[in-house]
Amino acid sequence: MYRRQVLTWLAVGVAIAAVSGLLGGGVLGYRYASNQGEAALAGLQRDHAVASTEASRRALVRYQAETELGGKLAQAVIDQRVQIATLQQQLKRRIPHVTTVYQPTPGAVPVALPRVVLTRGFLRDWNRGFGLPTDDTTTATGRAAPAGTDALAADSWLLGDDLLDSGASLADVLQHAQDYGAWCQRQAVQRDKLIDLAQGHE
């Protein structure tokens, strides 16, 4: 009987020790896993912070480069517009010189240019060629063109007053060509700088 009790107590003690060992191991295992998890999380947070800082640095560098490029291109547009305006002023000063007199032969004394008659048809076609509005309201017969009808297609391609003097001079035509040329040059400068800016972003 005594021996049975000892064995029973011994079995109970072994069971308690086993349970205690399991509980202790479980607690230690939990703490170990928890510490490992916290360390891994801290590592991820550090990596994320480093990556975020690097991404911000790269974005700032790119922003500064694009801002600098934009500033340079804007200044180039301004400089070229000034050059275009200066050229236009020089050309406009030459208009009277090249539209009022001419030399019949090299070295001859300049004489007055004969008046060049620019017809209304010439002026209409000139404006139409530049996409400008015209006063095409009559047909070749002198009747008003029907509403919504292209005057060129109505009755004939000739208008009733096509051959009348428009009153425009060579100087007017040359000034218009210079103004339009300056506009074209400004558009080309802007186009080229926008292309440069787009290529700078790539």
Side-chain angles (χ1 to χ4, degrees):
M1 174 119 183
Y2 175 73
R3 186 176 176 188
R4 189 179 295 166
Q5 285 179 342
V6 169
L7 287 175
T8 301
W9 283 109
L10 187 58
V12 168
V14 169
I16 289 173
V19 169
S20 296
L22 286 173
L23 288 175
V27 169
L28 288 176
Y30 171 78
R31 284 186 185 160
Y32 176 78
S34 177
N35 290 338
Q36 289 294 100
E38 288 175 4
L41 179 59
L44 286 174
Q45 288 172 335
R46 271 193 313 274
D47 292 345
H48 177 72
V50 168
S52 178
T53 300
E54 179 60 19
S56 296
R57 186 194 67 77
R58 284 196 307 268
L60 179 60
V61 167
R62 182 174 180 180
Y63 170 76
Q64 289 170 335
E66 290 178 353
T67 300
E68 183 179 351
L69 175 62
K72 286 180 181 177
L73 294 176
Q75 186 60 51
V77 168
I78 292 169
D79 293 344
Q80 290 185 332
R81 283 184 169 227
V82 168
Q83 291 174 5
I84 292 167
T86 301
L87 175 62
Q88 291 308 304
Q89 289 172 355
Q90 294 169 355
L91 291 175
K92 285 187 187 307
R93 284 197 299 269
R94 287 179 46 82
I95 289 176
H97 174 68
V98 299
T99 60
T100 58
V101 295
Y102 80 107
Q103 289 179 307
T105 59
V109 175
V111 296
L113 268 172
R115 183 173 179 273
V116 176
V117 176
L118 300 175
T119 64
R120 290 185 179 183
F122 172 88
L123 204 58
R124 278 194 196 97
D125 291 348
W126 176 272
N127 287 337
R128 197 178 281 122
F130 284 103
L132 300 173
T134 62
D135 61 350
D136 293 341
T137 55
T138 59
T139 67
T141 62
R143 297 190 308 269
T149 302
D150 182 353
L152 286 178
D155 291 346
S156 168
W157 61 273
L158 291 173
L159 296 173
D161 61 355
D162 260 354
L163 301 182
L164 294 178
D165 187 351
S166 67
S169 67
L170 281 179
D172 295 331
V173 172
L174 185 53
Q175 181 168 339
H176 175 266
Q178 290 174 359
D179 291 342
Y180 184 72
W183 181 84
C184 291
Q185 291 178 67
R186 289 193 299 269
Q187 300 311 307
V189 166
Q190 287 182 239
R191 178 206 61 210
D192 293 346
K193 297 312 170 192
L194 283 173
I195 290 171
D196 291 344
L197 184 61
Q199 289 174 342
H201 282 293
E202 292 174 357

